[in-house]
Amino acid sequence: MFKSFSTQILQHLIAQNTWACSMLQPFAGKSVRITIAPVHSTLMILEDGTLAMAGETNIPDASINIAPSLLPRLIAKDEAAKLQIEVTGDTHLATALAKVLSHLRWDYEDDLSKLVGDVPANKIGTFARSSVQSLKGAGINFASMLSEYWQEEKPMLAKKRHVDQFNHDVDHLRSDVERFEKRLQKLAKAREASTATSQAGDSGTIPNNQVTDSVK
Amino acid sequence: MTSEQNTHFGFKTVAETEKAKKVAEVFHSVANKYDLMNDVMSAGLHRSWKRFAVSISGVNPGDKVLDIAGGSGDLSKLFAQKVGPEGQVILTDINASMLGVGRDRMLDAGLNVPAMQCDAEKLPFPDQYFDCVIVAFGLRNMTHKDKALAEMQRVLKVGGRLLVLEFSKVWQPLSKAYDVYSFKLLPLMGKLLAKDADSYQYLAESIRMHPDQETLKQMMVDAGLSKVDYYNLAAGVVALHKGYKT
């Protein structure tokens, strides 16, 4: 039942995005397994360029593995996160399917128009879009208000410029330490060399100020 | 009579030559109430199973489709809409009574679907003619399933698909409840609605004698089909097998 229902949804979406058929048709008969641990499902490309869920014994031609930790970044459209998606098997097929899936859009106004008519569907769609936009704006405002409160009134969050300064100081300290280590190594080497020379030539010890000069 | 010449008719063993006659009697008897009984027995689910089969077929406008054991023409009607006026759907059934019901329905719907009475074990079509062949709830009534599958494979074009929608082996935890339904309720419904308990007793028995999902898959592979896969529908009460001719 789940496969039947999911197939119906996929085919409905493909019917609304007709450009997808021509992209998928060259891969007809092939299947791709998509895993977002612990959930996975296998999609099959049909001969008419639509998609369906694969059967019980299908062997996929390609696999796409998405780590659950990547999901929030992918939702936020982080391009760097896309590079961390693991693709195995027929990569050409997997890339084409991933491209289609990421560009599929549900034309809910079209579906709604079949129930309530074109004009009401458009009005409802416009209202829904503006509501979502307002909610998004309100959310961003609320988040910046909280951030300001926790930075200025009741400091719990570090300010960006403080974090940048801290990072800069840490970098500076790291380079100082590295330089210091190099100097110590040079000093140690010079000491070893002078000890060896004094033992070989029996010419006494080299004064300390000569060693210091050589590593300056 | 040797054992090779015998076959099963439900739980009974009959001569191979008799099976087709007995199956024909069953379907002559139920033809008029076939749809009503299907709806009652499956709670209308048989319609969604058939729609699913059509959606999985991948049939394009202009394709040629053969509907074997098409009976009342549900699938032919759906396929005719999908292939459009440039395509071709042929409805076939070995049983004249069932075919008559399907043919009349196509005419009433204004669809140009030729109806042909023919035996699936000897299909009267050339090699590599169809893009898709489907047999729904018909394979289990055929005497030589292997021959019928080989014939279906023969008439398919390279790249064509064979779809077999048929009762199958139900998910184990539900098998007892399914047995009660099949052997107690089904004949009772047949008696009350179609006035024919025996035919529905045969239906329940023939389902149990039909190969399970994996066996049918292997039979399709043996018939020359490749990439055979199946979908369990309603917890395995029905399975849809799909295979390609390569």
Side-chain angles (χ1 to χ4, degrees):
Chain A
M1 277 300 126
F2 167 74
K3 286 191 175 179
S4 167
F5 183 64
S6 308
T7 300
Q8 259 185 320
I9 292 174
L10 283 169
Q11 296 199 342
H12 180 71
L13 285 173
I14 296 283
Q16 286 188 336
N17 295 264
T18 43
W19 53 267
C21 287
S22 54
M23 282 185 74
L24 292 175
Q25 222 155 13
F27 304 102
K30 293 193 170 181
S31 57
V32 180
R33 186 186 178 98
I34 300 172
T35 307
I36 304 171
V39 186
H40 64 82
S41 63
T42 308
L43 300 185
M44 174 106 192
I45 298 168
L46 300 177
E47 292 64 35
D48 55 359
T50 59
L51 285 170
M53 302 299 287
E56 316 295 331
T57 57
N58 177 274
I59 300 163
D61 298 283
S63 298
I64 300 175
N65 294 310
I66 302 171
S69 57
L70 282 181
L71 273 184
R73 291 170 62 195
L74 288 171
I75 292 167
K77 294 180 180 164
D78 179 355
E79 289 298 316
K82 284 184 185 171
L83 300 173
Q84 292 177 40
I85 295 173
E86 195 184 308
V87 176
T88 51
D90 185 343
T91 48
H92 193 42
L93 160 71
T95 312
L97 181 67
K99 200 171 179 182
V100 166
L101 290 179
S102 62
H103 287 89
L104 276 183
R105 292 288 171 268
W106 177 34
D107 188 354
Y108 52 88
E109 262 184 43
D110 181 52
D111 288 337
L112 206 57
S113 70
K114 286 166 194 153
L115 293 173
V116 297
D118 288 346
V119 176
N122 179 260
K123 295 276 178 207
I124 294 169
T126 310
F127 175 72
R129 274 191 297 274
S130 65
S131 305
V132 169
Q133 205 58 42
S134 309
L135 277 175
K136 218 185 237 179
I140 290 168
N141 283 343
F142 185 66
S144 42
M145 188 192 79
L146 281 181
S147 145
E148 199 178 312
Y149 175 75
W150 281 326
Q151 282 178 344
E152 306 291 347
E153 306 295 328
K154 200 174 181 184
M156 279 172 71
L157 296 175
K159 286 181 183 171
K160 192 174 180 306
R161 66 171 190 279
H162 294 157
V163 174
D164 288 346
Q165 183 60 46
F166 176 76
N167 286 341
H168 178 262
D169 291 347
V170 169
D171 289 345
H172 197 75
L173 181 64
R174 193 188 298 121
S175 346
D176 285 352
V177 169
E178 276 168 9
R179 269 201 304 275
F180 184 64
E181 271 180 347
K182 290 269 181 216
R183 280 183 184 177
L184 278 178
Q185 280 167 7
K186 268 189 171 180
L187 188 62
K189 270 184 194 167
R191 257 192 116 79
E192 275 169 23
S194 66
T195 315
T197 315
S198 66
Q199 281 173 352
D202 196 26
S203 56
T205 51
I206 298 168
N208 271 344
N209 59 345
Q210 278 184 10
V211 175
T212 315
D213 289 345
S214 69
V215 296
K216 267 183 184 173
Chain B
M1 193 183 288
T2 62
S3 61
E4 281 82 12
Q5 289 165 320
N6 286 339
T7 187
H8 56 80
F9 175 74
F11 290 161
K12 295 183 197 109
T13 302
V14 295
E16 276 188 357
T17 47
E18 271 182 50
K19 178 166 176 174
K21 244 185 272 174
K22 285 186 169 290
V23 171
E25 282 167 20
V26 168
F27 283 92
H28 278 305
S29 163
V30 302
N32 290 331
K33 301 263 179 147
Y34 187 74
D35 274 353
L36 170 72
M37 279 304 292
N38 275 352
D39 281 331
V40 172
M41 287 184 314
S42 70
L45 281 175
H46 74 104
R47 293 179 195 279
S48 76
W49 296 332
K50 286 171 182 167
R51 270 198 299 275
F52 179 63
V54 174
S55 69
I56 290 295
S57 69
V59 161
N60 279 301
D63 279 359
K64 291 191 179 85
V65 179
L66 175 64
D67 182 6
I68 294 176
S72 53
D74 288 348
L75 280 163
S76 291
K77 200 173 166 183
L78 294 170
F79 274 118
Q81 287 158 2
K82 202 150 191 204
V83 299
E86 303 87 27
Q88 185 182 29
V89 179
I90 298 179
L91 169 64
T92 68
D93 203 302
I94 196 169
N95 188 287
S97 307
M98 290 299 301
L99 193 65
V101 173
R103 180 202 56 203
D104 292 348
R105 189 172 290 173
M106 294 301 111
L107 290 172
D108 291 345
L111 293 168
N112 179 22
V113 174
M116 292 174 66
Q117 185 179 6
C118 64
D119 185 350
E121 294 174 22
K122 292 167 216 137
L123 291 171
F125 301 104
D127 295 357
Q128 303 199 21
Y129 186 76
F130 294 100
D131 298 284
C132 179
V133 173
I134 186 159
V135 53
F137 305 112
L139 188 68
R140 73 179 188 286
N141 298 314
M142 293 173 193
T143 310
H144 304 103
K145 296 175 182 63
D146 51 347
K147 271 190 196 170
L149 290 171
E151 271 293 274
M152 295 173 205
Q153 190 266 0
R154 179 184 66 79
V155 298
L156 272 176
K157 287 178 188 171
V158 172
R161 288 82 66 197
L162 170 62
L163 295 164
V164 181
L165 182 65
E166 190 53 271
F167 291 104
S168 204
K169 193 170 183 187
V170 75
W171 185 45
Q172 189 58 35
L174 296 178
S175 64
K176 284 204 171 154
Y178 187 53
D179 280 348
V180 172
Y181 173 75
S182 305
F183 294 109
K184 303 283 179 200
L185 280 174
L186 210 59
L188 183 67
M189 283 194 281
K191 194 176 174 182
L192 294 174
L193 296 168
K195 314 271 182 260
D196 186 358
D198 290 346
S199 296
Y200 288 91
Q201 179 71 30
Y202 163 72
L203 173 70
E205 290 176 7
S206 66
I207 291 169
R208 294 307 186 283
M209 296 305 288
H210 188 67
D212 65 12
Q213 288 89 333
E214 284 296 326
T215 312
L216 180 56
K217 181 182 169 181
Q218 189 54 49
M219 285 170 76
M220 287 174 71
V221 171
D222 294 343
L225 293 148
S226 54
K227 283 191 89 171
V228 181
D229 191 16
Y230 62 82
Y231 296 85
N232 283 323
L233 304 171
V237 169
V238 165
L240 173 67
H241 284 70
K242 182 180 182 182
Y244 291 81
K245 180 170 179 174
T246 49

